[in-house]
Amino acid sequence: MWTCILMRKAFFNANMHLFPRLAGAPTYSLKSQMQNKISFTKKVQILCSPPQVRGISDFIQDGALPSSGAKSRKSKNSWSFPVLDGTIKMEQMDRTEANLRNSEACIQRYLELLGESHQREERDIIRHTQRHGKLLVRERLRLVLDDDDFFELSPLAGYDLPYGTISNAGCLTGIGKVCGIWCMLIANDATVKGGTMYPITVKKHLRAQAIATMNRLPTVYLVDSGGAFLPLQAEIFPDSCHGGRIFYNIAVMSSMKIPQVAVVCGSCIAGATYIPSIADESIIIDKIGSMFIAGPPLVKAATGENISVEELGGATLHSRISGGIDYVTSTEEEAYERTRHIVMTLKCEEPSKEPVGYDDPLYSPEELKALAPQNYECSLDVKLILSRLIDGSRFQEFKAEYGTTLVTGFAHVKGHLVGLVASNGELSYQASLKGSHFVRLCRHRNVPLLFLLNTVPQTSACTSPAQAEDLGRRCKAQACMMATIACAEVPKITLVIGGNFGNDSYAMCGRSFDPNFLFLWPNARVALVDYRSLTTDFLEGDEHFSMDKSTRKNLGKKLEKESSAFYSSARLWDDGVILPQRSREVIARCLEIIKQKEGQIFSHQQQPILRF
């Protein structure tokens, strides 16, 4: 989930696209009570100083309420909920210090990886722009979109995989506005391995199509691909979740009246040819775009015939003879302008342009870095995090006294009503029943769900009948919550703020339960078990299992590496890593995108739009 500002400067391309502007007005900050400490301690103490929370009239009189001009407006609805106490206590200083140090280290590593993902070999750029006369992929996106605001998904995908690093997985995917309509854009990057499709490229395509289907987003494909990477064909071609699924999805999405538009802005070789062929409407750029199953060298090898690219599969052939293309343009700029014209003909409801009233949180989102848990022992009350994410820090808690290890209730995020389900400890029997009840409530009221996930790692085995009975009841209640979430036909957004371990992650709408969007904080951990628990007594209770210290140590190192947020994001187990202090903007953007489908008709046609 990313907000990408498509700037020309390389530094901004590498880093600053992740940082959408905050509202311009001051945020309600905490007062420091300890002025004589060293600078790092001062940061933490500022977080810990209690604000004097009083009545609304007192805030208004003192001018302490945040005001962000046009972006932060007093909303009658947002004031209807009670105010959360987001004060960080002095006794929590040790944990906030540890969290802040860990967050800064994780964020620094994240920015380094992000910069690496944007780097390209100079020879590849020269070949693409000078020899072939093509625009770079981000320049293409800039010409299609209304503005430079591009919500990029999974930018770390493809990093440090067994078959090498495939920057950005060889394609850019994300959401932006075209003629006022939110659209999913999938663009091959031919400066990465010549646009060749690797297994991770296919996976990124499929995830983008899944998001577009769930949110009913018109999809625009900018196709510039040399087809599949043959040495890895066993991981690209044969299975139901491999490359052919891209073409299947295009047809099914078309039958669901989700428009499919393709631009051939380079080579479309082998399987890539089917993307523009199956799309509702297709454009090709003369002398730049081409489509064929096998190129001139293979024709020469098979038949001995010399044939040019244009004769074999150029714009003239496909527009006049095969009929596989609907529009021909002479330049890339004209092609992307034609793409915008096509989107203008779509009968999609534009998002409301009326300003939505909302208020900034009473506590600064910048303080979330000190609340992002380094490990479970450093976790604080999740309400401290909520008070820095939601409008006016106002929260209508549901079943506050029951199942307290799960926090549920209603709040607004930039004016959008959401149902919040947040981990606050072990997902117990009572907490699971409470979660099931609340999710059903949101389903009946058609309220989107936001899950904040920080599961408790398992540290010991069951050793008594009483523990076994408690575990059985808890598993049964968790199964009920899982079934409820799986069948809840409302939009779901999941944010992993800490640990994402074991069975609890399923009941909190992890990846397996198909949330509309799923993001991680840089400090997050994703694994079956926490590697830190493995080194204590996680395996001690099994008398049939033995492991020497060396093997256990190696397994712990492996789990530590494989559970990091960056390892997860590189493999597309999520939709991207986001900075804690930007979470509010990302969540609000997702809710705005989801809202577009409200005015659309959810009916299937008999078949997709067929060209022949």
Side-chain angles (χ1 to χ4, degrees):
M1 63 26 85
W2 306 86
T3 303
C4 175
I5 306 301
L6 301 169
M7 306 284 290
R8 291 186 181 274
K9 294 184 179 179
F11 175 79
F12 284 96
N13 276 340
N15 294 312
M16 296 304 291
H17 71 288
L18 298 174
F19 302 97
R21 286 187 174 273
L22 290 171
T27 305
Y28 180 68
S29 60
L30 308 177
K31 298 179 181 179
S32 177
Q33 292 182 339
M34 303 177 68
Q35 301 293 333
N36 299 322
K37 299 292 183 182
I38 61 174
S39 59
F40 179 80
T41 306
K42 279 185 178 181
K43 293 180 184 177
V44 179
Q45 288 171 340
I46 290 173
L47 299 178
C48 299
S49 304
Q52 297 180 359
V53 180
R54 295 158 289 171
I56 296 303
S57 59
D58 293 331
F59 277 121
I60 295 173
Q61 182 178 353
D62 294 347
L65 283 174
S67 173
S68 302
K71 290 191 176 181
S72 181
R73 290 168 287 275
K74 186 173 179 181
S75 167
K76 184 176 180 180
N77 291 333
S78 64
W79 291 122
S80 62
F81 297 156
V83 176
L84 282 174
D85 181 7
T87 305
I88 301 174
K89 306 293 190 285
M90 292 299 297
E91 57 268 22
Q92 297 168 331
M93 180 187 298
D94 290 343
R95 281 183 284 176
T96 54
E97 279 187 8
N99 289 340
L100 185 58
R101 283 194 297 267
N102 183 66
S103 288
E104 289 176 344
C106 291
I107 290 171
Q108 179 62 33
R109 179 59 179 156
Y110 162 69
L111 294 176
E112 291 172 1
L113 293 176
L114 194 67
E116 291 178 21
S117 74
H118 284 73
Q119 293 177 0
R120 302 290 185 269
E121 293 288 341
E122 185 176 356
R123 66 175 184 271
D124 294 331
I125 295 175
I126 291 173
R127 181 175 62 237
H128 185 84
T129 57
Q130 296 181 13
R131 180 179 168 186
H132 298 301
K134 298 190 288 188
L135 298 176
L136 295 173
V137 65
R138 294 186 185 275
E139 294 174 341
R140 289 169 169 172
L141 291 172
R142 186 184 300 113
L143 291 172
V144 175
L145 296 167
D146 291 351
D147 49 42
D148 291 342
D149 197 9
F150 180 57
F151 189 57
E152 186 174 353
L153 301 169
S154 306
L156 297 184
Y159 174 76
D160 194 24
L161 299 178
Y163 45 83
T165 293
I166 313 299
S167 299
N168 297 131
C171 68
L172 296 186
T173 62
I175 303 169
K177 281 189 176 180
V178 181
C179 299
I181 298 171
W182 289 112
C183 294
M184 172 64 73
L185 291 102
I186 303 174
N188 294 110
D189 187 350
T191 64
V192 180
K193 312 292 185 183
T196 302
M197 297 186 74
Y198 285 75
I200 194 67
T201 315
V202 172
K203 190 173 183 181
K204 193 170 181 179
H205 265 260
L206 294 176
R207 177 55 186 166
Q209 288 180 321
I211 292 173
T213 301
M214 283 189 284
N215 300 293
R216 297 190 61 82
L217 299 173
T219 306
V220 177
Y221 304 85
L222 306 184
V223 193
D224 189 357
S225 173
F229 182 62
L230 193 58
L232 294 176
Q233 65 86 28
E235 300 175 47
I236 299 173
F237 170 71
D239 208 350
S240 61
C241 59
H242 287 167
R245 196 72 179 186
I246 296 172
F247 319 135
Y248 172 87
N249 288 342
I250 294 173
V252 171
M253 292 165 74
S254 176
S255 74
M256 296 171 64
K257 299 185 180 179
I258 301 174
Q260 307 289 295
V261 180
V263 182
V264 181
C265 46
S267 298
C268 283
I269 302 174
T273 304
Y274 293 108
I275 294 176
S277 299
I278 303 175
D280 299 345
E281 295 184 77
S282 296
I283 304 166
I284 193 169
I285 303 161
D286 193 23
K287 304 297 189 296
I288 292 179
S290 58
M291 297 165 54
F292 35 69
I293 298 297
L298 283 178
V299 174
K300 172 69 174 177
T303 67
E305 180 184 357
N306 290 312
I307 188 169
S308 70
V309 169
E310 287 301 312
E311 291 173 323
L312 184 62
T316 300
L317 181 137
H318 285 298
S319 62
R320 297 182 181 180
I321 299 174
S322 76
I325 287 293
D326 307 307
Y327 308 98
V328 179
T329 65
S330 57
T331 65
E332 287 204 58
E333 290 81 1
E334 185 184 348
Y336 305 130
E337 186 64 25
R338 181 64 59 88
T339 304
R340 292 177 56 80
H341 293 165
I342 292 172
V343 175
M344 289 174 64
T345 68
L346 306 180
K347 296 186 68 175
C348 294
E349 293 291 331
E350 288 191 36
S352 173
K353 295 182 180 180
E354 295 184 6
V356 177
Y358 65 85
D359 303 282
D360 289 339
L362 298 181
Y363 304 89
S364 173
E366 293 292 329
E367 297 165 359
L368 288 170
K369 289 187 290 185
L371 298 174
Q374 178 182 10
N375 51 53
Y376 189 75
E377 287 68 31
C378 290
S379 296
L380 300 170
D381 191 332
V382 75
K383 292 179 186 177
L384 297 177
I385 293 175
L386 295 181
S387 66
R388 288 156 176 82
L389 288 178
I390 58 180
D391 294 357
S393 301
R394 291 184 166 271
F395 182 57
Q396 176 63 42
E397 188 168 3
F398 177 76
K399 285 183 182 275
E401 304 299 323
Y402 183 82
T404 55
T405 54
L406 186 72
V407 174
T408 58
F410 296 100
H412 293 83
V413 178
K414 291 200 171 183
H416 300 281
L417 179 65
V418 293
L420 277 159
V421 182
S423 302
N424 203 31
E426 188 175 40
L427 191 59
S428 64
Y429 170 77
Q430 290 184 334
S432 300
L433 293 181
K434 170 182 172 178
S436 298
H437 185 178
F438 182 71
V439 169
R440 284 195 292 269
L441 204 64
C442 292
R443 182 184 64 186
H444 280 276
R445 297 176 184 177
N446 199 28
V447 176
L449 286 161
L450 172 60
F451 294 86
L452 267 58
L453 207 162
N454 181 24
T455 59
V456 180
Q458 184 178 351
T459 57
S460 61
C462 181
T463 58
S464 70
Q467 286 182 330
E469 183 180 352
D470 178 68
L471 182 61
R473 293 171 68 246
R474 187 173 65 192
C475 287
K476 186 165 64 173
Q478 287 181 357
C480 177
M481 187 172 174
M482 290 180 201
T484 303
I485 290 171
C487 298
E489 295 181 349
V490 294
K492 308 175 196 72
I493 302 170
T494 301
L495 176 61
V496 181
I497 61 175
N500 180 15
F501 303 117
N503 300 336
D504 288 9
S505 67
Y506 304 139
M508 289 295 292
C509 200
R511 186 62 147 186
S512 303
F513 280 70
D514 238 5
N516 293 55
F517 296 95
L518 187 149
F519 302 104
L520 309 179
W521 280 357
N523 59 292
R525 289 281 173 181
V526 181
L528 180 61
V529 296
D530 187 355
Y531 73 94
R532 291 160 292 208
S533 301
L534 185 74
T535 59
T536 55
D537 60 349
F538 178 72
L539 298 173
E540 296 294 337
D542 191 346
E543 60 183 11
H544 302 291
F545 185 86
S546 62
M547 182 182 291
D548 58 53
K549 290 183 179 180
S550 176
T551 304
R552 180 180 294 187
K553 183 178 179 180
N554 291 335
L555 179 57
K557 288 182 179 179
K558 186 175 188 291
L559 285 174
E560 180 180 8
K561 176 186 176 182
E562 293 180 354
S563 65
S564 78
F566 312 126
Y567 189 94
S568 167
S569 205
R571 286 151 181 79
L572 280 163
W573 298 345
D574 53 74
D575 298 316
V577 177
I578 63 174
L579 302 181
Q581 62 270 33
R582 306 300 175 190
S583 300
R584 176 173 160 83
E585 282 70 28
V586 172
I587 293 167
R589 176 63 57 84
C590 292
L591 292 168
E592 187 179 349
I593 291 167
I594 288 168
K595 193 173 182 180
Q596 177 173 275
K597 70 177 182 180
E598 289 181 358
Q600 297 184 30
I601 302 171
F602 296 5
S603 62
H604 275 69
Q605 298 175 176
Q606 291 296 319
Q607 58 184 6
I609 295 174
L610 300 177
R611 182 165 279 103
F612 307 106

PDB file of all heavy atoms in Angstrom, residues 110-132:
ATOM      1  N   TYR A 110      14.424  -0.686   6.064  1.00  0.00           N
ATOM      2  CA  TYR A 110      13.347  -0.655   5.075  1.00  0.00           C
ATOM      3  C   TYR A 110      13.643   0.368   3.969  1.00  0.00           C
ATOM      4  O   TYR A 110      13.489   0.082   2.776  1.00  0.00           O
ATOM      5  CB  TYR A 110      12.034  -0.327   5.776  1.00  0.00           C
ATOM      6  CG  TYR A 110      10.943   0.145   4.871  1.00  0.00           C
ATOM      7  CD1 TYR A 110      10.347  -0.709   3.961  1.00  0.00           C
ATOM      8  CD2 TYR A 110      10.505   1.467   4.911  1.00  0.00           C
ATOM      9  CE1 TYR A 110       9.346  -0.268   3.121  1.00  0.00           C
ATOM     10  CE2 TYR A 110       9.511   1.916   4.081  1.00  0.00           C
ATOM     11  CZ  TYR A 110       8.935   1.054   3.183  1.00  0.00           C
ATOM     12  OH  TYR A 110       7.956   1.494   2.349  1.00  0.00           O
ATOM     13  N   LEU A 111      14.094   1.569   4.360  1.00  0.00           N
ATOM     14  CA  LEU A 111      14.392   2.602   3.371  1.00  0.00           C
ATOM     15  C   LEU A 111      15.572   2.200   2.487  1.00  0.00           C
ATOM     16  O   LEU A 111      15.601   2.512   1.296  1.00  0.00           O
ATOM     17  CB  LEU A 111      14.674   3.933   4.077  1.00  0.00           C
ATOM     18  CG  LEU A 111      13.487   4.552   4.825  1.00  0.00           C
ATOM     19  CD1 LEU A 111      13.915   5.810   5.550  1.00  0.00           C
ATOM     20  CD2 LEU A 111      12.339   4.852   3.867  1.00  0.00           C
ATOM     21  N   GLU A 112      16.536   1.495   3.069  1.00  0.00           N
ATOM     22  CA  GLU A 112      17.657   0.992   2.268  1.00  0.00           C
ATOM     23  C   GLU A 112      17.176  -0.001   1.213  1.00  0.00           C
ATOM     24  O   GLU A 112      17.563   0.087   0.038  1.00  0.00           O
ATOM     25  CB  GLU A 112      18.696   0.331   3.180  1.00  0.00           C
ATOM     26  CG  GLU A 112      19.460   1.303   4.083  1.00  0.00           C
ATOM     27  CD  GLU A 112      20.323   0.568   5.103  1.00  0.00           C
ATOM     28  OE1 GLU A 112      20.329  -0.694   5.073  1.00  0.00           O
ATOM     29  OE2 GLU A 112      20.981   1.241   5.919  1.00  0.00           O
ATOM     30  N   LEU A 113      16.329  -0.937   1.634  1.00  0.00           N
ATOM     31  CA  LEU A 113      15.815  -1.932   0.685  1.00  0.00           C
ATOM     32  C   LEU A 113      14.955  -1.279  -0.385  1.00  0.00           C
ATOM     33  O   LEU A 113      14.986  -1.683  -1.560  1.00  0.00           O
ATOM     34  CB  LEU A 113      15.006  -2.997   1.433  1.00  0.00           C
ATOM     35  CG  LEU A 113      15.786  -3.915   2.381  1.00  0.00           C
ATOM     36  CD1 LEU A 113      14.824  -4.854   3.119  1.00  0.00           C
ATOM     37  CD2 LEU A 113      16.823  -4.726   1.608  1.00  0.00           C
ATOM     38  N   LEU A 114      14.203  -0.276   0.015  1.00  0.00           N
ATOM     39  CA  LEU A 114      13.345   0.412  -0.943  1.00  0.00           C
ATOM     40  C   LEU A 114      14.179   1.122  -1.994  1.00  0.00           C
ATOM     41  O   LEU A 114      13.865   1.099  -3.189  1.00  0.00           O
ATOM     42  CB  LEU A 114      12.449   1.401  -0.207  1.00  0.00           C
ATOM     43  CG  LEU A 114      11.274   1.942  -1.006  1.00  0.00           C
ATOM     44  CD1 LEU A 114      10.275   0.848  -1.299  1.00  0.00           C
ATOM     45  CD2 LEU A 114      10.614   3.080  -0.268  1.00  0.00           C
ATOM     46  N   GLY A 115      15.280   1.759  -1.552  1.00  0.00           N
ATOM     47  CA  GLY A 115      16.174   2.410  -2.505  1.00  0.00           C
ATOM     48  C   GLY A 115      16.780   1.407  -3.471  1.00  0.00           C
ATOM     49  O   GLY A 115      16.872   1.666  -4.678  1.00  0.00           O
ATOM     50  N   GLU A 116      17.176   0.245  -2.954  1.00  0.00           N
ATOM     51  CA  GLU A 116      17.744  -0.798  -3.816  1.00  0.00           C
ATOM     52  C   GLU A 116      16.729  -1.292  -4.840  1.00  0.00           C
ATOM     53  O   GLU A 116      17.079  -1.590  -5.984  1.00  0.00           O
ATOM     54  CB  GLU A 116      18.230  -1.972  -2.964  1.00  0.00           C
ATOM     55  CG  GLU A 116      19.449  -1.672  -2.108  1.00  0.00           C
ATOM     56  CD  GLU A 116      19.852  -2.854  -1.243  1.00  0.00           C
ATOM     57  OE1 GLU A 116      19.465  -3.999  -1.589  1.00  0.00           O
ATOM     58  OE2 GLU A 116      20.534  -2.641  -0.227  1.00  0.00           O
ATOM     59  N   SER A 117      15.459  -1.373  -4.432  1.00  0.00           N
ATOM     60  CA  SER A 117      14.430  -1.894  -5.347  1.00  0.00           C
ATOM     61  C   SER A 117      14.181  -0.964  -6.528  1.00  0.00           C
ATOM     62  O   SER A 117      13.643  -1.389  -7.547  1.00  0.00           O
ATOM     63  CB  SER A 117      13.117  -2.136  -4.587  1.00  0.00           C
ATOM     64  OG  SER A 117      12.466  -0.916  -4.291  1.00  0.00           O
ATOM     65  N   HIS A 118      14.585   0.322  -6.392  1.00  0.00           N
ATOM     66  CA  HIS A 118      14.370   1.281  -7.472  1.00  0.00           C
ATOM     67  C   HIS A 118      15.596   1.431  -8.375  1.00  0.00           C
ATOM     68  O   HIS A 118      15.527   2.125  -9.391  1.00  0.00           O
ATOM     69  CB  HIS A 118      14.010   2.651  -6.892  1.00  0.00           C
ATOM     70  CG  HIS A 118      12.609   2.729  -6.399  1.00  0.00           C
ATOM     71  ND1 HIS A 118      12.191   2.108  -5.249  1.00  0.00           N
ATOM     72  CD2 HIS A 118      11.502   3.344  -6.901  1.00  0.00           C
ATOM     73  CE1 HIS A 118      10.906   2.342  -5.061  1.00  0.00           C
ATOM     74  NE2 HIS A 118      10.468   3.078  -6.043  1.00  0.00           N
ATOM     75  N   GLN A 119      16.683   0.808  -8.013  1.00  0.00           N
ATOM     76  CA  GLN A 119      17.892   0.929  -8.820  1.00  0.00           C
ATOM     77  C   GLN A 119      17.814   0.031 -10.044  1.00  0.00           C
ATOM     78  O   GLN A 119      17.323  -1.092  -9.981  1.00  0.00           O
ATOM     79  CB  GLN A 119      19.122   0.567  -7.977  1.00  0.00           C
ATOM     80  CG  GLN A 119      19.403   1.554  -6.859  1.00  0.00           C
ATOM     81  CD  GLN A 119      20.583   1.132  -5.993  1.00  0.00           C
ATOM     82  OE1 GLN A 119      21.197   0.094  -6.238  1.00  0.00           O
ATOM     83  NE2 GLN A 119      20.905   1.924  -4.986  1.00  0.00           N
ATOM     84  N   ARG A 120      18.313   0.555 -11.170  1.00  0.00           N
ATOM     85  CA  ARG A 120      18.368  -0.202 -12.419  1.00  0.00           C
ATOM     86  C   ARG A 120      19.762  -0.078 -13.019  1.00  0.00           C
ATOM     87  O   ARG A 120      20.449   0.927 -12.825  1.00  0.00           O
ATOM     88  CB  ARG A 120      17.330   0.320 -13.438  1.00  0.00           C
ATOM     89  CG  ARG A 120      15.890   0.279 -12.961  1.00  0.00           C
ATOM     90  CD  ARG A 120      15.370  -1.133 -12.866  1.00  0.00           C
ATOM     91  NE  ARG A 120      13.960  -1.167 -12.511  1.00  0.00           N
ATOM     92  CZ  ARG A 120      13.504  -1.234 -11.266  1.00  0.00           C
ATOM     93  NH1 ARG A 120      14.351  -1.271 -10.248  1.00  0.00           N
ATOM     94  NH2 ARG A 120      12.204  -1.268 -11.019  1.00  0.00           N
ATOM     95  N   GLU A 121      20.171  -1.080 -13.758  1.00  0.00           N
ATOM     96  CA  GLU A 121      21.446  -1.015 -14.457  1.00  0.00           C
ATOM     97  C   GLU A 121      21.379   0.062 -15.539  1.00  0.00           C
ATOM     98  O   GLU A 121      20.389   0.165 -16.281  1.00  0.00           O
ATOM     99  CB  GLU A 121      21.761  -2.367 -15.095  1.00  0.00           C
ATOM    100  CG  GLU A 121      22.020  -3.486 -14.109  1.00  0.00           C
ATOM    101  CD  GLU A 121      23.354  -3.338 -13.390  1.00  0.00           C
ATOM    102  OE1 GLU A 121      24.220  -2.594 -13.898  1.00  0.00           O
ATOM    103  OE2 GLU A 121      23.532  -3.978 -12.333  1.00  0.00           O
ATOM    104  N   GLU A 122      22.438   0.854 -15.624  1.00  0.00           N
ATOM    105  CA  GLU A 122      22.454   1.950 -16.596  1.00  0.00           C
ATOM    106  C   GLU A 122      22.308   1.436 -18.020  1.00  0.00           C
ATOM    107  O   GLU A 122      21.618   2.042 -18.854  1.00  0.00           O
ATOM    108  CB  GLU A 122      23.751   2.749 -16.448  1.00  0.00           C
ATOM    109  CG  GLU A 122      23.798   3.994 -17.337  1.00  0.00           C
ATOM    110  CD  GLU A 122      25.049   4.825 -17.110  1.00  0.00           C
ATOM    111  OE1 GLU A 122      25.842   4.481 -16.201  1.00  0.00           O
ATOM    112  OE2 GLU A 122      25.240   5.813 -17.853  1.00  0.00           O
ATOM    113  N   ARG A 123      22.936   0.294 -18.313  1.00  0.00           N
ATOM    114  CA  ARG A 123      22.844  -0.252 -19.672  1.00  0.00           C
ATOM    115  C   ARG A 123      21.414  -0.653 -20.028  1.00  0.00           C
ATOM    116  O   ARG A 123      20.994  -0.526 -21.185  1.00  0.00           O
ATOM    117  CB  ARG A 123      23.789  -1.445 -19.826  1.00  0.00           C
ATOM    118  CG  ARG A 123      23.434  -2.661 -18.998  1.00  0.00           C
ATOM    119  CD  ARG A 123      24.368  -3.839 -19.312  1.00  0.00           C
ATOM    120  NE  ARG A 123      23.968  -5.038 -18.585  1.00  0.00           N
ATOM    121  CZ  ARG A 123      24.395  -5.335 -17.372  1.00  0.00           C
ATOM    122  NH1 ARG A 123      25.222  -4.503 -16.739  1.00  0.00           N
ATOM    123  NH2 ARG A 123      23.990  -6.440 -16.768  1.00  0.00           N
ATOM    124  N   ASP A 124      20.654  -1.122 -19.014  1.00  0.00           N
ATOM    125  CA  ASP A 124      19.261  -1.493 -19.270  1.00  0.00           C
ATOM    126  C   ASP A 124      18.406  -0.260 -19.554  1.00  0.00           C
ATOM    127  O   ASP A 124      17.513  -0.301 -20.416  1.00  0.00           O
ATOM    128  CB  ASP A 124      18.695  -2.259 -18.073  1.00  0.00           C
ATOM    129  CG  ASP A 124      19.376  -3.606 -17.870  1.00  0.00           C
ATOM    130  OD1 ASP A 124      19.830  -4.187 -18.874  1.00  0.00           O
ATOM    131  OD2 ASP A 124      19.457  -4.062 -16.718  1.00  0.00           O
ATOM    132  N   ILE A 125      18.683   0.814 -18.836  1.00  0.00           N
ATOM    133  CA  ILE A 125      17.937   2.058 -19.061  1.00  0.00           C
ATOM    134  C   ILE A 125      18.243   2.629 -20.437  1.00  0.00           C
ATOM    135  O   ILE A 125      17.344   3.067 -21.170  1.00  0.00           O
ATOM    136  CB  ILE A 125      18.258   3.082 -17.952  1.00  0.00           C
ATOM    137  CG1 ILE A 125      17.759   2.561 -16.592  1.00  0.00           C
ATOM    138  CG2 ILE A 125      17.627   4.435 -18.264  1.00  0.00           C
ATOM    139  CD1 ILE A 125      18.134   3.446 -15.422  1.00  0.00           C
ATOM    140  N   ILE A 126      19.539   2.622 -20.808  1.00  0.00           N
ATOM    141  CA  ILE A 126      19.936   3.151 -22.117  1.00  0.00           C
ATOM    142  C   ILE A 126      19.311   2.326 -23.238  1.00  0.00           C
ATOM    143  O   ILE A 126      18.789   2.871 -24.218  1.00  0.00           O
ATOM    144  CB  ILE A 126      21.470   3.165 -22.232  1.00  0.00           C
ATOM    145  CG1 ILE A 126      22.059   4.217 -21.279  1.00  0.00           C
ATOM    146  CG2 ILE A 126      21.892   3.451 -23.672  1.00  0.00           C
ATOM    147  CD1 ILE A 126      23.566   4.202 -21.196  1.00  0.00           C
ATOM    148  N   ARG A 127      19.365   0.995 -23.113  1.00  0.00           N
ATOM    149  CA  ARG A 127      18.773   0.134 -24.139  1.00  0.00           C
ATOM    150  C   ARG A 127      17.280   0.391 -24.275  1.00  0.00           C
ATOM    151  O   ARG A 127      16.747   0.439 -25.393  1.00  0.00           O
ATOM    152  CB  ARG A 127      19.030  -1.333 -23.800  1.00  0.00           C
ATOM    153  CG  ARG A 127      18.464  -2.292 -24.840  1.00  0.00           C
ATOM    154  CD  ARG A 127      18.833  -3.742 -24.564  1.00  0.00           C
ATOM    155  NE  ARG A 127      18.277  -4.185 -23.285  1.00  0.00           N
ATOM    156  CZ  ARG A 127      19.005  -4.668 -22.299  1.00  0.00           C
ATOM    157  NH1 ARG A 127      20.312  -4.766 -22.420  1.00  0.00           N
ATOM    158  NH2 ARG A 127      18.431  -5.060 -21.178  1.00  0.00           N
ATOM    159  N   HIS A 128      16.602   0.586 -23.154  1.00  0.00           N
ATOM    160  CA  HIS A 128      15.150   0.783 -23.154  1.00  0.00           C
ATOM    161  C   HIS A 128      14.763   2.129 -23.755  1.00  0.00           C
ATOM    162  O   HIS A 128      13.828   2.206 -24.567  1.00  0.00           O
ATOM    163  CB  HIS A 128      14.633   0.672 -21.722  1.00  0.00           C
ATOM    164  CG  HIS A 128      13.151   0.744 -21.590  1.00  0.00           C
ATOM    165  ND1 HIS A 128      12.328  -0.347 -21.751  1.00  0.00           N
ATOM    166  CD2 HIS A 128      12.322   1.788 -21.311  1.00  0.00           C
ATOM    167  CE1 HIS A 128      11.067   0.006 -21.572  1.00  0.00           C
ATOM    168  NE2 HIS A 128      11.041   1.303 -21.293  1.00  0.00           N
ATOM    169  N   THR A 129      15.458   3.185 -23.362  1.00  0.00           N
ATOM    170  CA  THR A 129      15.034   4.539 -23.741  1.00  0.00           C
ATOM    171  C   THR A 129      15.637   5.012 -25.052  1.00  0.00           C
ATOM    172  O   THR A 129      14.963   5.709 -25.827  1.00  0.00           O
ATOM    173  CB  THR A 129      15.404   5.537 -22.626  1.00  0.00           C
ATOM    174  OG1 THR A 129      16.830   5.468 -22.378  1.00  0.00           O
ATOM    175  CG2 THR A 129      14.660   5.209 -21.342  1.00  0.00           C
ATOM    176  N   GLN A 130      16.900   4.657 -25.328  1.00  0.00           N
ATOM    177  CA  GLN A 130      17.564   5.178 -26.526  1.00  0.00           C
ATOM    178  C   GLN A 130      17.484   4.203 -27.697  1.00  0.00           C
ATOM    179  O   GLN A 130      17.115   4.588 -28.814  1.00  0.00           O
ATOM    180  CB  GLN A 130      19.023   5.499 -26.192  1.00  0.00           C
ATOM    181  CG  GLN A 130      19.165   6.618 -25.160  1.00  0.00           C
ATOM    182  CD  GLN A 130      20.615   6.953 -24.853  1.00  0.00           C
ATOM    183  OE1 GLN A 130      21.534   6.537 -25.556  1.00  0.00           O
ATOM    184  NE2 GLN A 130      20.833   7.718 -23.795  1.00  0.00           N
ATOM    185  N   ARG A 131      17.812   2.946 -27.426  1.00  0.00           N
ATOM    186  CA  ARG A 131      17.794   1.981 -28.532  1.00  0.00           C
ATOM    187  C   ARG A 131      16.372   1.671 -28.982  1.00  0.00           C
ATOM    188  O   ARG A 131      16.082   1.622 -30.191  1.00  0.00           O
ATOM    189  CB  ARG A 131      18.493   0.696 -28.085  1.00  0.00           C
ATOM    190  CG  ARG A 131      18.526  -0.381 -29.146  1.00  0.00           C
ATOM    191  CD  ARG A 131      19.252  -1.608 -28.619  1.00  0.00           C
ATOM    192  NE  ARG A 131      19.078  -2.759 -29.490  1.00  0.00           N
ATOM    193  CZ  ARG A 131      19.505  -3.973 -29.207  1.00  0.00           C
ATOM    194  NH1 ARG A 131      20.157  -4.203 -28.078  1.00  0.00           N
ATOM    195  NH2 ARG A 131      19.295  -4.963 -30.044  1.00  0.00           N
ATOM    196  N   HIS A 132      15.468   1.484 -28.025  1.00  0.00           N
ATOM    197  CA  HIS A 132      14.085   1.140 -28.380  1.00  0.00           C
ATOM    198  C   HIS A 132      13.148   2.345 -28.359  1.00  0.00           C
ATOM    199  O   HIS A 132      12.001   2.233 -28.783  1.00  0.00           O
ATOM    200  CB  HIS A 132      13.561   0.065 -27.430  1.00  0.00           C
ATOM    201  CG  HIS A 132      14.327  -1.217 -27.486  1.00  0.00           C
ATOM    202  ND1 HIS A 132      14.462  -1.945 -28.642  1.00  0.00           N
ATOM    203  CD2 HIS A 132      15.023  -1.898 -26.545  1.00  0.00           C
ATOM    204  CE1 HIS A 132      15.190  -3.029 -28.417  1.00  0.00           C
ATOM    205  NE2 HIS A 132      15.561  -3.027 -27.141  1.00  0.00           N
TER     206      HIS A 132
END
